[in-house]
Amino acid sequence: KLRQKKEEDLGYHSLNDTYTSGESGFSNVAVGEATYTIAFPYRDFREGGLKTHYGVEDEEGKINVNVLDAKVLSAFFQKVGEIDEDLADELSYSIVDWRDSDNSLSHPEYGAKDDYYEDLETPYESKDPKFESLEELLLVREMTPELFEKVKPFITIYGEGVVNINT
């Protein structure tokens, strides 16, 4: 469906287009001998609660934790995560430290490198390359499961880092 739409390209795309979503086109679709479903949960702010969207999702409509700097991440965590500025700064600089390859803190007051993680009850090292899954954020200093669940729908590890405001 996506390839066909690209060939018929009208210069714009919408996640509401029939080729990008719909339970009939993306739920229990037979591919060879197997069936597949492409879906993701989302929070319906009008009616409340979680719903399921069947179809594709534009990851560039989200905040990329692998690319953005600590100041932008901090503002995001304050607003969406509903945490105070100091905690948001600590988390944001810790994210930057987790994904960078040097051994120095990215901020003199905030952040975390191997010495912090190695002193934990179950010690480990900071990764240093970019995040490969969103769940890796749960290993970063100051990230809690509750905060992770709040921000998870709005973050990604894919894309170039420029947010597509249309999606």
Side-chain angles (χ1 to χ4, degrees):
K1 287 183 177 186
L2 293 172
R3 191 176 309 126
Q4 179 185 1
K5 179 63 177 174
K6 185 176 180 181
E7 291 168 2
E8 301 169 355
D9 194 358
L10 301 174
Y12 62 90
H13 303 277
S14 168
L15 292 181
N16 293 325
D17 288 343
T18 56
Y19 76 95
T20 64
S21 62
E23 189 170 356
S24 64
F26 290 92
S27 179
N28 295 315
V29 176
V31 179
E33 296 182 19
T35 60
Y36 296 91
T37 297
I38 299 174
F40 59 90
Y42 71 96
R43 184 163 308 284
D44 186 333
F45 291 103
R46 291 184 184 158
E47 297 178 23
L50 287 177
K51 291 192 173 184
T52 301
H53 174 86
Y54 293 91
V56 296
E57 181 177 22
D58 182 1
E59 289 292 307
E60 289 198 344
K62 300 178 179 185
I63 300 292
N64 188 331
V65 296
N66 273 331
V67 176
L68 294 178
D69 67 30
K71 290 183 188 252
V72 174
L73 287 170
S74 179
F76 167 76
F77 287 120
Q78 289 174 58
K79 181 71 175 170
V80 177
E82 300 173 320
I83 59 176
D84 68 50
E85 184 178 356
D86 284 336
L87 184 58
D89 284 345
E90 183 73 52
L91 173 58
S92 300
Y93 283 101
S94 295
I95 288 171
V96 171
D97 287 339
W98 183 270
R99 69 179 194 219
D100 69 19
S101 59
D102 63 36
N103 285 327
S104 60
L105 293 173
S106 57
H107 189 280
E109 296 176 47
Y110 303 113
K113 291 306 254 181
D114 289 343
D115 57 343
Y116 169 81
Y117 299 109
E118 289 171 351
D119 284 343
L120 297 174
E121 186 176 324
T122 305
Y124 53 92
E125 294 180 352
S126 60
K127 184 172 182 184
D128 293 330
K130 293 182 177 183
F131 292 89
E132 294 179 56
S133 74
L134 287 179
E135 288 72 19
E136 279 182 62
L137 282 167
L138 291 166
L139 297 171
V140 175
R141 181 180 191 172
E142 301 301 347
M143 179 57 77
T144 65
E146 297 79 22
L147 177 57
F148 180 73
E149 288 304 316
K150 280 185 184 179
V151 300
K152 185 179 176 183
F154 307 103
I155 58 177
T156 187
I157 57 168
Y158 303 107
E160 301 298 316
V162 178
V163 175
N164 180 350
I165 62 170
N166 294 312
T167 59

mmCIF file of all heavy atoms in Angstrom, residues 59-108:
data_model
loop_
_atom_site.group_PDB
_atom_site.id
_atom_site.type_symbol
_atom_site.label_atom_id
_atom_site.label_comp_id
_atom_site.label_asym_id
_atom_site.label_seq_id
_atom_site.Cartn_x
_atom_site.Cartn_y
_atom_site.Cartn_z
ATOM 1 N N GLU A 59 7.320 8.183 13.003
ATOM 2 C CA GLU A 59 8.190 8.378 14.159
ATOM 3 C C GLU A 59 8.783 9.783 14.189
ATOM 4 O O GLU A 59 9.201 10.251 15.234
ATOM 5 C CB GLU A 59 9.309 7.332 14.156
ATOM 6 C CG GLU A 59 8.831 5.935 14.468
ATOM 7 C CD GLU A 59 8.343 5.760 15.892
ATOM 8 O OE1 GLU A 59 9.078 6.101 16.839
ATOM 9 O OE2 GLU A 59 7.202 5.286 16.048
ATOM 10 N N GLU A 60 8.830 10.468 13.054
ATOM 11 C CA GLU A 60 9.389 11.823 13.052
ATOM 12 C C GLU A 60 8.383 12.859 13.549
ATOM 13 O O GLU A 60 8.671 14.036 13.572
ATOM 14 C CB GLU A 60 9.952 12.164 11.676
ATOM 15 C CG GLU A 60 11.211 11.362 11.408
ATOM 16 C CD GLU A 60 12.069 11.918 10.297
ATOM 17 O OE1 GLU A 60 11.591 12.749 9.512
ATOM 18 O OE2 GLU A 60 13.230 11.504 10.234
ATOM 19 N N GLY A 61 7.229 12.390 13.995
ATOM 20 C CA GLY A 61 6.285 13.260 14.675
ATOM 21 C C GLY A 61 6.539 13.260 16.179
ATOM 22 O O GLY A 61 5.762 13.806 16.946
ATOM 23 N N LYS A 62 7.635 12.635 16.593
ATOM 24 C CA LYS A 62 7.969 12.495 18.007
ATOM 25 C C LYS A 62 9.331 13.130 18.309
ATOM 26 O O LYS A 62 10.079 13.460 17.407
ATOM 27 C CB LYS A 62 8.019 11.003 18.379
ATOM 28 C CG LYS A 62 6.708 10.279 18.157
ATOM 29 C CD LYS A 62 6.862 8.819 18.498
ATOM 30 C CE LYS A 62 5.581 8.056 18.314
ATOM 31 N NZ LYS A 62 5.741 6.657 18.760
ATOM 32 N N ILE A 63 9.633 13.244 19.585
ATOM 33 C CA ILE A 63 10.921 13.777 20.062
ATOM 34 C C ILE A 63 11.959 12.655 20.009
ATOM 35 O O ILE A 63 11.764 11.605 20.598
ATOM 36 C CB ILE A 63 10.787 14.282 21.516
ATOM 37 C CG1 ILE A 63 9.742 15.385 21.630
ATOM 38 C CG2 ILE A 63 12.134 14.711 22.068
ATOM 39 C CD1 ILE A 63 10.105 16.674 20.959
ATOM 40 N N ASN A 64 13.077 12.884 19.321
ATOM 41 C CA ASN A 64 14.119 11.872 19.177
ATOM 42 C C ASN A 64 15.143 12.028 20.303
ATOM 43 O O ASN A 64 15.922 12.986 20.323
ATOM 44 C CB ASN A 64 14.799 11.999 17.817
ATOM 45 C CG ASN A 64 15.753 10.867 17.534
ATOM 46 O OD1 ASN A 64 16.341 10.286 18.435
ATOM 47 N ND2 ASN A 64 15.926 10.555 16.274
ATOM 48 N N VAL A 65 15.163 11.067 21.231
ATOM 49 C CA VAL A 65 16.078 11.142 22.374
ATOM 50 C C VAL A 65 17.526 10.863 21.990
ATOM 51 O O VAL A 65 18.426 11.097 22.800
ATOM 52 C CB VAL A 65 15.643 10.199 23.526
ATOM 53 C CG1 VAL A 65 14.298 10.622 24.084
ATOM 54 C CG2 VAL A 65 15.623 8.754 23.076
ATOM 55 N N ASN A 66 17.752 10.393 20.778
ATOM 56 C CA ASN A 66 19.119 10.141 20.315
ATOM 57 C C ASN A 66 19.774 11.379 19.719
ATOM 58 O O ASN A 66 20.972 11.369 19.476
ATOM 59 C CB ASN A 66 19.140 9.032 19.258
ATOM 60 C CG ASN A 66 19.228 7.670 19.862
ATOM 61 O OD1 ASN A 66 19.786 7.494 20.941
ATOM 62 N ND2 ASN A 66 18.682 6.690 19.175
ATOM 63 N N VAL A 67 19.003 12.428 19.476
ATOM 64 C CA VAL A 67 19.530 13.567 18.724
ATOM 65 C C VAL A 67 19.454 14.881 19.490
ATOM 66 O O VAL A 67 20.389 15.674 19.451
ATOM 67 C CB VAL A 67 18.773 13.702 17.379
ATOM 68 C CG1 VAL A 67 19.222 14.924 16.611
ATOM 69 C CG2 VAL A 67 18.932 12.445 16.543
ATOM 70 N N LEU A 68 18.362 15.113 20.190
ATOM 71 C CA LEU A 68 18.141 16.428 20.789
ATOM 72 C C LEU A 68 19.073 16.717 21.955
ATOM 73 O O LEU A 68 19.494 15.809 22.666
ATOM 74 C CB LEU A 68 16.690 16.561 21.234
ATOM 75 C CG LEU A 68 15.701 16.552 20.079
ATOM 76 C CD1 LEU A 68 14.281 16.644 20.608
ATOM 77 C CD2 LEU A 68 15.967 17.682 19.103
ATOM 78 N N ASP A 69 19.372 17.992 22.145
ATOM 79 C CA ASP A 69 20.263 18.375 23.225
ATOM 80 C C ASP A 69 19.522 18.392 24.559
ATOM 81 O O ASP A 69 18.294 18.298 24.620
ATOM 82 C CB ASP A 69 20.952 19.708 22.937
ATOM 83 C CG ASP A 69 20.011 20.903 22.926
ATOM 84 O OD1 ASP A 69 18.990 20.893 23.642
ATOM 85 O OD2 ASP A 69 20.294 21.870 22.202
ATOM 86 N N ALA A 70 20.270 18.512 25.621
ATOM 87 C CA ALA A 70 19.721 18.405 26.979
ATOM 88 C C ALA A 70 18.711 19.503 27.286
ATOM 89 O O ALA A 70 17.736 19.264 27.999
ATOM 90 C CB ALA A 70 20.852 18.416 27.999
ATOM 91 N N LYS A 71 18.907 20.710 26.776
ATOM 92 C CA LYS A 71 17.978 21.808 27.078
ATOM 93 C C LYS A 71 16.590 21.537 26.505
ATOM 94 O O LYS A 71 15.579 21.772 27.158
ATOM 95 C CB LYS A 71 18.532 23.133 26.565
ATOM 96 C CG LYS A 71 19.727 23.616 27.346
ATOM 97 C CD LYS A 71 20.210 24.957 26.857
ATOM 98 C CE LYS A 71 21.503 25.323 27.526
ATOM 99 N NZ LYS A 71 21.405 26.362 28.497
ATOM 100 N N VAL A 72 16.534 21.033 25.276
ATOM 101 C CA VAL A 72 15.251 20.708 24.656
ATOM 102 C C VAL A 72 14.611 19.526 25.378
ATOM 103 O O VAL A 72 13.415 19.527 25.674
ATOM 104 C CB VAL A 72 15.421 20.407 23.147
ATOM 105 C CG1 VAL A 72 14.118 19.935 22.533
ATOM 106 C CG2 VAL A 72 15.943 21.642 22.423
ATOM 107 N N LEU A 73 15.416 18.508 25.680
ATOM 108 C CA LEU A 73 14.892 17.351 26.404
ATOM 109 C C LEU A 73 14.363 17.763 27.781
ATOM 110 O O LEU A 73 13.304 17.299 28.207
ATOM 111 C CB LEU A 73 15.979 16.286 26.562
ATOM 112 C CG LEU A 73 16.356 15.516 25.301
ATOM 113 C CD1 LEU A 73 17.603 14.668 25.554
ATOM 114 C CD2 LEU A 73 15.208 14.660 24.820
ATOM 115 N N SER A 74 15.051 18.659 28.462
ATOM 116 C CA SER A 74 14.617 19.107 29.783
ATOM 117 C C SER A 74 13.253 19.790 29.710
ATOM 118 O O SER A 74 12.358 19.503 30.513
ATOM 119 C CB SER A 74 15.647 20.054 30.392
ATOM 120 O OG SER A 74 15.202 20.500 31.655
ATOM 121 N N ALA A 75 13.093 20.687 28.754
ATOM 122 C CA ALA A 75 11.797 21.364 28.594
ATOM 123 C C ALA A 75 10.693 20.351 28.296
ATOM 124 O O ALA A 75 9.582 20.450 28.826
ATOM 125 C CB ALA A 75 11.885 22.402 27.481
ATOM 126 N N PHE A 76 11.004 19.370 27.462
ATOM 127 C CA PHE A 76 10.040 18.322 27.142
ATOM 128 C C PHE A 76 9.638 17.546 28.400
ATOM 129 O O PHE A 76 8.453 17.338 28.671
ATOM 130 C CB PHE A 76 10.635 17.378 26.094
ATOM 131 C CG PHE A 76 9.861 16.108 25.923
ATOM 132 C CD1 PHE A 76 8.659 16.100 25.231
ATOM 133 C CD2 PHE A 76 10.324 14.919 26.465
ATOM 134 C CE1 PHE A 76 7.928 14.933 25.088
ATOM 135 C CE2 PHE A 76 9.609 13.748 26.329
ATOM 136 C CZ PHE A 76 8.403 13.751 25.637
ATOM 137 N N PHE A 77 10.614 17.097 29.194
ATOM 138 C CA PHE A 77 10.315 16.322 30.389
ATOM 139 C C PHE A 77 9.551 17.136 31.435
ATOM 140 O O PHE A 77 8.700 16.604 32.144
ATOM 141 C CB PHE A 77 11.581 15.724 31.001
ATOM 142 C CG PHE A 77 12.138 14.583 30.201
ATOM 143 C CD1 PHE A 77 13.414 14.640 29.677
ATOM 144 C CD2 PHE A 77 11.373 13.449 29.964
ATOM 145 C CE1 PHE A 77 13.931 13.580 28.934
ATOM 146 C CE2 PHE A 77 11.872 12.385 29.219
ATOM 147 C CZ PHE A 77 13.150 12.458 28.703
ATOM 148 N N GLN A 78 9.834 18.442 31.510
ATOM 149 C CA GLN A 78 9.086 19.286 32.435
ATOM 150 C C GLN A 78 7.617 19.363 32.035
ATOM 151 O O GLN A 78 6.725 19.228 32.878
ATOM 152 C CB GLN A 78 9.684 20.694 32.470
ATOM 153 C CG GLN A 78 11.027 20.772 33.155
ATOM 154 C CD GLN A 78 11.640 22.135 33.029
ATOM 155 O OE1 GLN A 78 11.039 23.134 33.454
ATOM 156 N NE2 GLN A 78 12.832 22.211 32.443
ATOM 157 N N LYS A 79 7.380 19.569 30.763
ATOM 158 C CA LYS A 79 6.003 19.745 30.280
ATOM 159 C C LYS A 79 5.242 18.423 30.237
ATOM 160 O O LYS A 79 4.173 18.303 30.826
ATOM 161 C CB LYS A 79 6.050 20.383 28.877
ATOM 162 C CG LYS A 79 4.720 20.647 28.271
ATOM 163 C CD LYS A 79 4.015 21.766 28.968
ATOM 164 C CE LYS A 79 2.726 22.104 28.256
ATOM 165 N NZ LYS A 79 1.901 23.004 29.010
ATOM 166 N N VAL A 80 5.777 17.441 29.545
ATOM 167 C CA VAL A 80 5.054 16.186 29.338
ATOM 168 C C VAL A 80 5.160 15.265 30.553
ATOM 169 O O VAL A 80 4.192 14.635 30.956
ATOM 170 C CB VAL A 80 5.561 15.467 28.065
ATOM 171 C CG1 VAL A 80 4.882 14.129 27.876
ATOM 172 C CG2 VAL A 80 5.329 16.351 26.844
ATOM 173 N N GLY A 81 6.344 15.209 31.148
ATOM 174 C CA GLY A 81 6.552 14.339 32.305
ATOM 175 C C GLY A 81 6.072 14.940 33.609
ATOM 176 O O GLY A 81 6.006 14.260 34.621
ATOM 177 N N GLU A 82 5.790 16.248 33.573
ATOM 178 C CA GLU A 82 5.306 16.968 34.756
ATOM 179 C C GLU A 82 6.265 16.843 35.939
ATOM 180 O O GLU A 82 5.871 16.549 37.058
ATOM 181 C CB GLU A 82 3.900 16.490 35.147
ATOM 182 C CG GLU A 82 2.889 16.701 34.047
ATOM 183 C CD GLU A 82 1.527 16.080 34.357
ATOM 184 O OE1 GLU A 82 1.489 14.952 34.919
ATOM 185 O OE2 GLU A 82 0.525 16.726 34.047
ATOM 186 N N ILE A 83 7.561 17.057 35.637
ATOM 187 C CA ILE A 83 8.568 17.024 36.695
ATOM 188 C C ILE A 83 9.223 18.400 36.797
ATOM 189 O O ILE A 83 9.139 19.210 35.866
ATOM 190 C CB ILE A 83 9.635 15.926 36.453
ATOM 191 C CG1 ILE A 83 10.371 16.138 35.123
ATOM 192 C CG2 ILE A 83 8.987 14.547 36.504
ATOM 193 C CD1 ILE A 83 11.503 15.137 34.861
ATOM 194 N N ASP A 84 9.862 18.665 37.935
ATOM 195 C CA ASP A 84 10.453 19.990 38.128
ATOM 196 C C ASP A 84 11.730 20.153 37.297
ATOM 197 O O ASP A 84 12.284 19.187 36.785
ATOM 198 C CB ASP A 84 10.707 20.281 39.607
ATOM 199 C CG ASP A 84 11.784 19.416 40.229
ATOM 200 O OD1 ASP A 84 12.882 19.309 39.651
ATOM 201 O OD2 ASP A 84 11.533 18.852 41.304
ATOM 202 N N GLU A 85 12.176 21.388 37.201
ATOM 203 C CA GLU A 85 13.301 21.735 36.327
ATOM 204 C C GLU A 85 14.590 21.011 36.695
ATOM 205 O O GLU A 85 15.299 20.517 35.820
ATOM 206 C CB GLU A 85 13.525 23.248 36.340
ATOM 207 C CG GLU A 85 14.607 23.713 35.399
ATOM 208 C CD GLU A 85 14.769 25.219 35.390
ATOM 209 O OE1 GLU A 85 13.989 25.935 36.059
ATOM 210 O OE2 GLU A 85 15.703 25.688 34.686
ATOM 211 N N ASP A 86 14.920 20.941 37.995
ATOM 212 C CA ASP A 86 16.171 20.280 38.402
ATOM 213 C C ASP A 86 16.169 18.798 38.040
ATOM 214 O O ASP A 86 17.164 18.275 37.537
ATOM 215 C CB ASP A 86 16.416 20.441 39.904
ATOM 216 C CG ASP A 86 16.912 21.835 40.252
ATOM 217 O OD1 ASP A 86 17.486 22.507 39.362
ATOM 218 O OD2 ASP A 86 16.721 22.248 41.408
ATOM 219 N N LEU A 87 15.063 18.119 38.300
ATOM 220 C CA LEU A 87 14.966 16.697 37.970
ATOM 221 C C LEU A 87 15.016 16.502 36.453
ATOM 222 O O LEU A 87 15.678 15.589 35.950
ATOM 223 C CB LEU A 87 13.683 16.101 38.542
ATOM 224 C CG LEU A 87 13.485 14.603 38.353
ATOM 225 C CD1 LEU A 87 14.644 13.820 38.974
ATOM 226 C CD2 LEU A 87 12.157 14.181 38.962
ATOM 227 N N ALA A 88 14.350 17.376 35.709
ATOM 228 C CA ALA A 88 14.362 17.296 34.246
ATOM 229 C C ALA A 88 15.764 17.529 33.703
ATOM 230 O O ALA A 88 16.194 16.845 32.762
ATOM 231 C CB ALA A 88 13.384 18.306 33.649
ATOM 232 N N ASP A 89 16.496 18.476 34.294
ATOM 233 C CA ASP A 89 17.881 18.718 33.872
ATOM 234 C C ASP A 89 18.758 17.513 34.169
ATOM 235 O O ASP A 89 19.563 17.092 33.338
ATOM 236 C CB ASP A 89 18.455 19.955 34.569
ATOM 237 C CG ASP A 89 17.932 21.260 33.996
ATOM 238 O OD1 ASP A 89 17.351 21.243 32.890
ATOM 239 O OD2 ASP A 89 18.105 22.305 34.656
ATOM 240 N N GLU A 90 18.611 16.938 35.364
ATOM 241 C CA GLU A 90 19.400 15.754 35.736
ATOM 242 C C GLU A 90 19.149 14.623 34.750
ATOM 243 O O GLU A 90 20.083 13.992 34.254
ATOM 244 C CB GLU A 90 19.047 15.303 37.153
ATOM 245 C CG GLU A 90 19.869 14.137 37.637
ATOM 246 C CD GLU A 90 21.296 14.515 37.959
ATOM 247 O OE1 GLU A 90 21.512 15.466 38.726
ATOM 248 O OE2 GLU A 90 22.213 13.843 37.440
ATOM 249 N N LEU A 91 17.895 14.363 34.452
ATOM 250 C CA LEU A 91 17.541 13.294 33.518
ATOM 251 C C LEU A 91 18.054 13.589 32.113
ATOM 252 O O LEU A 91 18.641 12.720 31.460
ATOM 253 C CB LEU A 91 16.019 13.107 33.494
ATOM 254 C CG LEU A 91 15.469 12.143 32.458
ATOM 255 C CD1 LEU A 91 16.054 10.749 32.615
ATOM 256 C CD2 LEU A 91 13.953 12.116 32.539
ATOM 257 N N SER A 92 17.863 14.796 31.653
ATOM 258 C CA SER A 92 18.254 15.154 30.283
ATOM 259 C C SER A 92 19.755 15.065 30.067
ATOM 260 O O SER A 92 20.208 14.517 29.056
ATOM 261 C CB SER A 92 17.759 16.568 29.957
ATOM 262 O OG SER A 92 16.360 16.613 30.065
ATOM 263 N N TYR A 93 20.532 15.586 31.011
ATOM 264 C CA TYR A 93 21.994 15.486 30.877
ATOM 265 C C TYR A 93 22.462 14.043 31.054
ATOM 266 O O TYR A 93 23.456 13.635 30.455
ATOM 267 C CB TYR A 93 22.702 16.436 31.838
ATOM 268 C CG TYR A 93 22.667 17.867 31.350
ATOM 269 C CD1 TYR A 93 21.767 18.777 31.870
ATOM 270 C CD2 TYR A 93 23.509 18.288 30.325
ATOM 271 C CE1 TYR A 93 21.708 20.085 31.397
ATOM 272 C CE2 TYR A 93 23.465 19.589 29.839
ATOM 273 C CZ TYR A 93 22.566 20.483 30.381
ATOM 274 O OH TYR A 93 22.502 21.767 29.907
ATOM 275 N N SER A 94 21.745 13.257 31.841
ATOM 276 C CA SER A 94 22.077 11.836 31.976
ATOM 277 C C SER A 94 21.819 11.092 30.669
ATOM 278 O O SER A 94 22.566 10.183 30.304
ATOM 279 C CB SER A 94 21.275 11.211 33.114
ATOM 280 O OG SER A 94 21.652 11.768 34.352
ATOM 281 N N ILE A 95 20.769 11.478 29.956
ATOM 282 C CA ILE A 95 20.492 10.881 28.644
ATOM 283 C C ILE A 95 21.614 11.206 27.669
ATOM 284 O O ILE A 95 22.104 10.338 26.954
ATOM 285 C CB ILE A 95 19.125 11.361 28.104
ATOM 286 C CG1 ILE A 95 17.999 10.701 28.899
ATOM 287 C CG2 ILE A 95 18.983 11.076 26.606
ATOM 288 C CD1 ILE A 95 16.616 11.243 28.605
ATOM 289 N N VAL A 96 22.032 12.465 27.655
ATOM 290 C CA VAL A 96 23.133 12.874 26.773
ATOM 291 C C VAL A 96 24.405 12.114 27.135
ATOM 292 O O VAL A 96 25.112 11.614 26.254
ATOM 293 C CB VAL A 96 23.349 14.402 26.830
ATOM 294 C CG1 VAL A 96 24.616 14.804 26.094
ATOM 295 C CG2 VAL A 96 22.136 15.126 26.244
ATOM 296 N N ASP A 97 24.691 11.980 28.428
ATOM 297 C CA ASP A 97 25.884 11.243 28.863
ATOM 298 C C ASP A 97 25.797 9.766 28.501
ATOM 299 O O ASP A 97 26.801 9.141 28.170
ATOM 300 C CB ASP A 97 26.087 11.390 30.373
ATOM 301 C CG ASP A 97 26.575 12.770 30.769
ATOM 302 O OD1 ASP A 97 27.129 13.475 29.904
ATOM 303 O OD2 ASP A 97 26.394 13.141 31.945
ATOM 304 N N TRP A 98 24.605 9.200 28.574
ATOM 305 C CA TRP A 98 24.417 7.781 28.252
ATOM 306 C C TRP A 98 24.757 7.511 26.791
ATOM 307 O O TRP A 98 25.368 6.509 26.461
ATOM 308 C CB TRP A 98 22.971 7.386 28.537
ATOM 309 C CG TRP A 98 22.676 5.947 28.309
ATOM 310 C CD1 TRP A 98 22.256 5.369 27.136
ATOM 311 C CD2 TRP A 98 22.790 4.889 29.252
ATOM 312 N NE1 TRP A 98 22.083 4.017 27.302
ATOM 313 C CE2 TRP A 98 22.406 3.691 28.606
ATOM 314 C CE3 TRP A 98 23.164 4.824 30.587
ATOM 315 C CZ2 TRP A 98 22.392 2.458 29.245
ATOM 316 C CZ3 TRP A 98 23.135 3.601 31.220
ATOM 317 C CH2 TRP A 98 22.761 2.441 30.554
ATOM 318 N N ARG A 99 24.384 8.413 25.904
ATOM 319 C CA ARG A 99 24.532 8.158 24.468
ATOM 320 C C ARG A 99 25.834 8.698 23.879
ATOM 321 O O ARG A 99 26.168 8.398 22.729
ATOM 322 C CB ARG A 99 23.329 8.715 23.708
ATOM 323 C CG ARG A 99 23.280 10.217 23.698
ATOM 324 C CD ARG A 99 22.111 10.791 22.945
ATOM 325 N NE ARG A 99 22.355 12.188 22.736
ATOM 326 C CZ ARG A 99 21.427 13.127 22.807
ATOM 327 N NH1 ARG A 99 20.177 12.812 23.046
ATOM 328 N NH2 ARG A 99 21.751 14.383 22.605
ATOM 329 N N ASP A 100 26.586 9.526 24.622
ATOM 330 C CA ASP A 100 27.844 10.027 24.049
ATOM 331 C C ASP A 100 28.991 9.063 24.357
ATOM 332 O O ASP A 100 28.891 8.227 25.239
ATOM 333 C CB ASP A 100 28.156 11.455 24.483
ATOM 334 C CG ASP A 100 28.514 11.592 25.946
ATOM 335 O OD1 ASP A 100 28.869 10.583 26.579
ATOM 336 O OD2 ASP A 100 28.438 12.715 26.468
ATOM 337 N N SER A 101 30.070 9.193 23.623
ATOM 338 C CA SER A 101 31.162 8.215 23.724
ATOM 339 C C SER A 101 32.314 8.660 24.626
ATOM 340 O O SER A 101 33.255 7.907 24.832
ATOM 341 C CB SER A 101 31.701 7.889 22.333
ATOM 342 O OG SER A 101 32.172 9.065 21.716
ATOM 343 N N ASP A 102 32.235 9.869 25.185
ATOM 344 C CA ASP A 102 33.338 10.303 26.043
ATOM 345 C C ASP A 102 33.097 9.883 27.492
ATOM 346 O O ASP A 102 32.042 9.373 27.840
ATOM 347 C CB ASP A 102 33.558 11.814 25.927
ATOM 348 C CG ASP A 102 32.361 12.615 26.398
ATOM 349 O OD1 ASP A 102 31.695 12.201 27.370
ATOM 350 O OD2 ASP A 102 32.079 13.667 25.796
ATOM 351 N N ASN A 103 34.083 10.114 28.327
ATOM 352 C CA ASN A 103 33.981 9.732 29.735
ATOM 353 C C ASN A 103 33.766 10.914 30.666
ATOM 354 O O ASN A 103 33.906 10.791 31.875
ATOM 355 C CB ASN A 103 35.249 8.981 30.171
ATOM 356 C CG ASN A 103 35.262 7.572 29.641
ATOM 357 O OD1 ASN A 103 34.213 6.951 29.513
ATOM 358 N ND2 ASN A 103 36.440 7.070 29.320
ATOM 359 N N SER A 104 33.459 12.068 30.102
ATOM 360 C CA SER A 104 33.248 13.250 30.943
ATOM 361 C C SER A 104 31.766 13.621 30.966
ATOM 362 O O SER A 104 31.026 13.350 30.023
ATOM 363 C CB SER A 104 34.085 14.423 30.420
ATOM 364 O OG SER A 104 33.722 14.735 29.105
ATOM 365 N N LEU A 105 31.370 14.248 32.069
ATOM 366 C CA LEU A 105 29.985 14.693 32.203
ATOM 367 C C LEU A 105 29.703 15.820 31.211
ATOM 368 O O LEU A 105 30.558 16.677 30.976
ATOM 369 C CB LEU A 105 29.713 15.171 33.626
ATOM 370 C CG LEU A 105 29.743 14.116 34.714
ATOM 371 C CD1 LEU A 105 29.624 14.772 36.089
ATOM 372 C CD2 LEU A 105 28.628 13.104 34.506
ATOM 373 N N SER A 106 28.501 15.839 30.683
ATOM 374 C CA SER A 106 28.136 16.893 29.735
ATOM 375 C C SER A 106 27.743 18.182 30.446
ATOM 376 O O SER A 106 27.595 19.217 29.815
ATOM 377 C CB SER A 106 27.012 16.416 28.822
ATOM 378 O OG SER A 106 25.898 16.011 29.586
ATOM 379 N N HIS A 107 27.570 18.125 31.766
ATOM 380 C CA HIS A 107 27.240 19.301 32.569
ATOM 381 C C HIS A 107 27.917 19.121 33.934
ATOM 382 O O HIS A 107 27.903 18.028 34.483
ATOM 383 C CB HIS A 107 25.722 19.416 32.742
ATOM 384 C CG HIS A 107 25.293 20.696 33.361
ATOM 385 N ND1 HIS A 107 25.356 20.915 34.722
ATOM 386 C CD2 HIS A 107 24.785 21.828 32.815
ATOM 387 C CE1 HIS A 107 24.900 22.128 34.991
ATOM 388 N NE2 HIS A 107 24.551 22.700 33.847
ATOM 389 N N PRO A 108 28.507 20.182 34.505
ATOM 390 C CA PRO A 108 29.245 20.021 35.757
ATOM 391 C C PRO A 108 28.380 19.609 36.955
ATOM 392 O O PRO A 108 28.873 18.984 37.882
ATOM 393 C CB PRO A 108 29.879 21.396 35.988
ATOM 394 C CG PRO A 108 29.167 22.334 35.093
ATOM 395 C CD PRO A 108 28.586 21.533 33.967
#
